[in-house]
Amino acid sequence: MPKKIIIIDFGSQYTQLIARRIREQNVYCEIYPYNKLPKWSDHIPGIILSGSSYTMADKEAPAIDFDSLPEDTPVLSIGYSAGYIASQKGATLNYNDAPAHRKDPIKKIDPINPLFAGINVGSQVWLSMAETLSSLPENFKNIASTEELNIAAYQYKNFFGLQFHPEVAYTEQGKQIIKNFVVDICACKQNWTPDSFVKNTVQNLVDTLGKEHVVMALSGGVDSTVSAVLLHRAIGERLHCVFVDHGLLRKNEYEEVLESYKSMGLNIKGYREKDFFFDRLKNISDPEQKRKIIGASFIDVFDKASKEIAQELPPGTEVKWLGQGTIYPDIIESVSVKDSSVAVKSHHNVGGLPDFMKLKVVEPLKALFKDEVRKVGEALQIDNLILQRHPFPGPGLAIRILGEITAEKAWILQEADHIYIQNLKESGWYDKVWQAGAIFLPIQSVGVMEGGRTYEHVVALRAVNSNDGMTADWVTLPYDLLSKISNEIINNVKGVNRVVYDISSKPPATIEWE
């Protein structure tokens, strides 16, 4: 079992960034909610406790028994958790009228403390907290101060506490602080690389799957493609890939994706199921319902496909596994720290299979972020045209059609999206953008075309840059390019008379509109 850093999440918006910073050091880590801790073992060389959106004055503030943590394992606590640890031992806290969200230069550091090796006085850190330490308990040592905080960091035995966030980009030497903790203090080896992931994952798949057959759900995207190639390396022709046209793919995508997979040597079969999905989605407007219906419908199609595939196999041979391209953000966003009812959103490929489907799930990429998946794809020598393809949601255009889904709306969005993406590619902007797509809005607006009044649909354009999908910034596309795209959509897509551009970042907005 490989060693891993454990991150305990208290509900901070930055928890996923902590994981990203650790993995940038080629060290593996996993996130656990504070109320669902893992079993401790010698394979866990260090623990990081996240901040929180709560304060300790809140009645529902998250809490754990810190004495239950492994006694000899180094612990780094950030923000809320740093204050919580110290307060449990008798520290005094100040509660601010408004949370601090600003840069603050380091004024003083303990020059021999390993957590601050290589860190410069004057380096900026990012404050983001509603409570600060005004005193420390006995045996706690103040190891850093900033212009505004007399106690910016402390050490107590093997516990380190930070009253700022090293994981965010605003903390200038934050990556170095995390490296100091993970590599130097926890003594982690920096050997978690794409090549090592491929080698270990393929071997694990060989050991787990043996001679059994797998039906693999392919979407045409990076995640499912990389998953399929890993599985193919492990079990070869015993992998049976299925590509479903649910009527909500991009224009011409079904034919293009099938052809690209066949050229890769994958054993694949396509299923056209547009009517089946549209019938189930009729009169459904709620986005969570749409996701769940699509997820359940995919399962039904895969169940049918697995039975058809089994009939073509030698007598006594069964398909026992369903492969999925689930990645780590899918799992994280589907689980709330406090209550599963308030998760960010459910994902169509997270949550297991219904009882009637006698298949086990295999998810080769469930530990990876999106950018890590691409690096693994490069290690597998997958064509760059597939690896650099923009992320596309499993439910497809269903969650880009706000409100009820109809065949007319799907056609309109496919045409508008096609014009948008083709213009990005022709202008050289496609490879500068992490994800782009068009959204069909549930409103109509007045317009004038050919001298007459129109009352037609509105399409929004979305383009963001991101490393892993957990945070994202909107892209400042050139005005002349946006003008060209807007004119082409309005002039060529019947039913659209207005195009708008989304300038929202994540957080607070999500990348998809539903």
Side-chain angles (χ1 to χ4, degrees):
M1 180 184 295
K3 291 191 175 183
K4 57 188 176 186
I5 295 291
I6 295 298
I7 302 168
I8 299 177
D9 184 17
F10 290 90
S12 170
Q13 63 176 317
Y14 300 135
T15 300
Q16 291 77 29
L17 282 178
I18 299 172
R20 292 298 305 114
R21 297 296 174 256
I22 295 172
R23 293 189 181 189
E24 286 171 359
Q25 301 299 326
N26 293 330
V27 174
Y28 184 60
C29 64
E30 291 180 356
I31 298 172
Y32 286 82
Y34 75 94
N35 52 3
K36 296 180 181 178
L37 300 181
K39 291 183 179 179
W40 305 115
S41 72
D42 293 338
H43 294 287
I44 299 173
I47 299 168
I48 295 182
L49 311 178
S50 83
S52 179
S53 58
Y54 291 90
T55 71
M56 276 172 278
D58 294 326
K59 291 182 179 179
E60 296 185 352
I64 65 172
D65 178 8
F66 289 104
D67 291 333
S68 68
L69 300 179
E71 185 176 354
D72 297 325
T73 303
V75 176
L76 176 64
S77 55
I78 298 171
Y80 167 89
S81 59
Y84 187 92
I85 289 176
S87 68
Q88 297 302 297
K89 300 294 183 179
T92 304
L93 292 174
N94 288 329
Y95 291 90
N96 306 321
D97 293 334
H101 300 287
R102 56 185 174 273
K103 291 181 180 180
D104 192 20
I106 293 176
K107 184 178 180 180
K108 183 180 179 181
I109 56 175
D110 181 346
I112 63 171
N113 194 285
L115 188 63
F116 290 105
I119 304 302
N120 301 322
V121 171
S123 179
Q124 299 280 351
V125 299
W126 179 248
L127 306 181
S128 180
M129 58 201 69
E131 53 211 0
T132 55
L133 290 165
S134 58
S135 71
L136 287 173
E138 186 179 357
N139 298 325
F140 277 59
K141 183 180 180 181
N142 186 356
I143 59 175
S145 302
T146 67
E147 290 293 336
E148 295 191 32
L149 296 179
N150 179 48
I151 304 170
Y154 65 76
Q155 181 178 358
Y156 170 66
K157 296 181 179 179
N158 60 334
F159 278 80
F160 297 84
L162 297 178
Q163 286 278 278
F164 59 86
H165 288 269
E167 69 273 23
V168 302
Y170 298 124
T171 296
E172 293 175 340
Q173 293 183 286
K175 290 183 180 180
Q176 182 65 44
I177 293 173
I178 290 176
K179 178 179 182 292
N180 290 343
F181 178 75
V182 171
V183 177
D184 297 331
I185 295 173
C186 299
C188 290
K189 294 182 179 179
Q190 296 174 279
N191 56 6
W192 196 70
T193 64
D195 286 333
S196 68
F197 177 85
V198 169
K199 179 181 178 181
N200 293 334
T201 299
V202 170
Q203 186 58 54
N204 288 338
L205 290 171
V206 169
D207 295 340
T208 301
L209 302 174
K211 299 296 183 180
E212 295 176 340
H213 289 249
V214 177
V215 58
M216 176 74 200
L218 288 181
S219 68
V222 177
D223 304 334
S224 64
T225 301
V226 174
S227 292
V229 173
L230 286 168
L231 282 163
H232 188 257
R233 282 202 176 186
I235 63 173
E237 288 301 305
R238 294 195 304 280
L239 173 66
H240 307 271
C241 298
V242 174
F243 183 48
V244 179
D245 179 7
H246 56 342
L248 295 158
L249 299 171
R250 282 176 162 158
K251 184 178 179 179
N252 302 326
E253 189 169 28
Y254 180 73
E255 295 80 9
E256 292 172 359
V257 168
L258 267 182
E259 186 57 36
S260 67
Y261 281 139
K262 288 177 181 177
S263 66
M264 292 171 63
L266 293 177
N267 180 15
I268 186 166
K269 183 177 181 181
Y271 286 78
R272 289 191 178 274
E273 299 287 347
K274 174 181 176 180
D275 292 341
F276 175 67
F277 278 82
F278 274 44
D279 285 345
R280 287 195 169 184
L281 290 166
K282 189 175 182 179
N283 299 323
I284 302 298
S285 298
D286 179 77
E288 280 297 284
Q289 277 190 279
K290 286 195 284 188
R291 285 177 178 273
K292 290 174 181 177
I293 288 170
I294 288 171
S297 299
F298 270 127
I299 291 297
D300 288 340
V301 174
F302 298 144
D303 186 47
K304 178 178 73 172
S306 66
K307 291 175 181 176
E308 290 182 4
I309 291 167
Q311 291 177 353
E312 299 171 0
L313 298 176
T317 306
E318 297 180 65
V319 176
K320 294 188 176 182
W321 295 85
L322 173 67
Q324 292 190 156
T326 310
I327 62 174
Y328 207 25
D330 297 340
I331 296 170
I332 294 170
E333 289 192 338
S334 296
V335 178
S336 166
V337 166
K338 285 294 286 184
D339 182 352
S340 61
S341 66
V342 291
V344 175
K345 57 188 174 185
S346 63
H347 285 263
H348 73 286
N349 57 347
V350 175
L353 300 177
D355 292 337
F356 73 82
M357 193 172 185
K358 306 303 180 183
L359 294 179
K360 294 174 284 187
V361 175
V362 55
E363 299 166 313
L365 303 178
K366 65 181 180 180
L368 299 188
F369 288 94
K370 177 68 76 172
D371 61 318
E372 294 171 330
V373 174
R374 286 199 170 100
K375 291 176 182 177
V376 169
E378 290 173 1
L380 291 167
Q381 299 183 327
I382 295 174
D383 193 306
N384 204 47
L385 290 175
I386 294 177
L387 292 183
Q388 298 308 317
R389 187 175 185 264
H390 287 185
F392 189 63
L397 299 180
I399 57 172
R400 294 182 181 177
I401 298 174
L402 276 62
E404 182 187 357
I405 296 169
T406 65
E408 179 192 14
K409 292 177 183 178
W411 177 85
I412 289 173
L413 189 56
Q414 284 172 334
E415 295 296 323
D417 182 82
H418 182 70
I419 291 170
Y420 182 26
I421 298 301
Q422 287 303 115
N423 271 277
L424 290 179
K425 290 180 177 178
E426 291 168 5
S427 64
W429 271 91
Y430 185 85
D431 291 334
K432 300 176 185 178
V433 171
W434 192 77
Q435 181 172 344
I439 298 96
F440 185 98
L441 302 186
I443 57 174
Q444 290 177 280
S445 71
V446 174
V448 178
M449 296 183 73
E450 298 180 352
R453 177 185 183 276
T454 63
Y455 189 62
E456 294 181 330
H457 300 292
V458 180
V459 167
L461 305 179
R462 181 82 158 130
V464 299
N465 275 331
S466 176
N467 287 324
D468 49 36
M470 302 308 300
T471 61
D473 293 318
W474 63 277
V475 177
T476 52
L477 293 177
Y479 287 154
D480 58 346
L481 176 59
L482 287 171
S483 175
K484 182 174 182 291
I485 294 168
S486 174
N487 289 335
E488 286 189 24
I489 291 174
I490 291 172
N491 291 333
N492 292 283
V493 183
K494 184 176 175 57
V496 177
N497 69 357
R498 192 178 300 271
V499 175
V500 299
Y501 189 58
D502 182 352
I503 57 171
S504 309
S505 294
K506 177 184 180 179
T510 54
I511 295 175
E512 299 294 343
W513 280 44
E514 288 192 340

